[in-house]
Amino acid sequence: MARIRCDFFSEALGMGTSMTVLLPDRTPAGIGVAGAAADGDPPVLYLLHGLTDDDTAWTRRTAIERYVAPLGLAVVMPQGGRSFYSDEAHGNRYWTFLSEELPEVCRTFFRLSQRREDTFVAGLSMGGYGAMKWALRDPGRFAAAASLSGALDMARRREHPTRPTNPDVMHTVWGDRAVSGTDDDTIALLERAGDDLPALYVACGTEDHLYEDNTRFVATARERGVPLTVDFSPGDHDWAYWDAKIRDVLAWLPLRRGDAG
């Protein structure tokens, strides 16, 4: 894989930002490295970080580069701050950056497939929320979306009786605005979702403090008849869990695996 730390100016944010990008490489002479690349433009996974991380977290704390190398899959890991990938009430327009500007920037900078069947999104914790929100708000963009330990019920999490999210973060992101029922409420998005959704994958450890958020999201999906793959198994809110589960997500993605070689 080619690994690129890309620093660039964002019009949506009005400032410089960064992303870490992995690009496929066949690397036939690499010892111990299984490389693959599609004959055409490679498929792409947008991979989102959590609340206390940045765009380098996935490459520093997992072996994501090694996991995707044999798949011929490009990975775009943007900087999302502590925004919950939202247009902040007292900050920056991270939703606009993620959902509108970032794909255009990547299209300009890199050779990536633009087809829906080659485009995927996933993330952990805050990033799991961001991935599901993006997939539910713009379902025609993605073939599949996955959440690992996602904060999938932010309307409740903001006022949770025992484990609320940091109120200062919530004030920055949403101010006095309610989350419930809005386009930032993944439960509400799921309740009014149409039929043309991407494949959905939800994983969360049973010891995770966000487990109840995930069970409610899954219950809502089942009530609505929305198909999804669910993995509730032992695990906590930590990188040991995410390093293991991202491999399951990669195996689950509907990649056109015959194109790489």
Side-chain angles (χ1 to χ4, degrees), residues 32-255:
V33 178
D39 292 333
D41 294 342
V44 58
L45 170 66
Y46 292 93
L47 188 57
L48 309 183
H49 67 75
L51 182 66
T52 60
D53 298 318
D54 60 22
D55 62 287
T56 69
W58 278 103
T59 55
R60 289 188 294 117
R61 293 172 178 159
T62 75
I64 186 67
E65 182 175 347
R66 179 161 54 86
Y67 301 153
V68 300
L71 303 178
L73 177 68
V75 184
V76 173
M77 294 162 278
Q79 173 65 257
R82 293 164 65 83
S83 67
F84 281 86
Y85 301 96
S86 302
D87 284 347
E88 296 174 314
H90 304 291
N92 287 307
R93 297 189 301 154
Y94 278 100
W95 169 251
T96 301
F97 165 71
L98 177 71
S99 64
E100 298 179 16
E101 186 177 20
L102 180 67
E104 290 300 321
V105 168
C106 290
R107 187 173 295 122
T108 300
F109 289 173
F110 308 112
R111 183 176 63 86
L112 302 172
S113 176
Q114 305 305 314
R115 298 187 299 182
R116 179 191 186 188
E117 58 264 36
D118 292 334
T119 307
F120 317 104
V121 62
L124 68 87
S125 194
M126 180 186 82
Y129 162 81
M132 281 296 163
K133 179 167 69 170
W134 197 3
L136 293 171
R137 287 176 67 166
D138 190 8
R141 183 183 295 275
F142 301 105
S147 167
L148 303 181
S149 311
L152 297 183
D153 189 4
M154 284 308 303
R156 175 170 166 76
R157 182 57 48 186
R158 186 176 187 181
E159 307 294 340
H160 194 275
T162 60
R163 292 293 297 270
T165 301
N166 186 315
D168 292 335
V169 173
M170 294 297 93
H171 179 72
T172 298
V173 176
W174 286 294
D176 296 328
R177 303 192 308 251
V179 175
S180 181
T182 71
D183 282 346
D184 284 329
D185 180 354
T186 48
I187 299 291
L189 289 171
L190 194 58
E191 289 173 338
R192 56 178 182 257
D195 295 329
D196 192 28
L197 290 175
L200 302 178
Y201 181 106
V202 172
C204 188
T206 52
E207 288 71 50
D208 195 309
H209 70 281
L210 295 179
Y211 179 63
E212 65 180 279
D213 298 47
N214 284 259
T215 57
R216 183 172 179 216
F217 184 89
V218 168
T220 302
R222 288 173 172 163
E223 289 169 6
R224 294 282 299 162
V226 175
L228 74 169
T229 299
V230 179
D231 179 0
F232 291 155
S233 55
D236 212 330
H237 205 76
D238 57 35
W239 281 100
Y241 180 84
W242 301 320
D243 184 50
K245 293 304 176 181
I246 192 60
R247 285 172 271 182
D248 294 339
V249 169
L250 293 171
W252 166 82
L253 289 179
L255 288 168

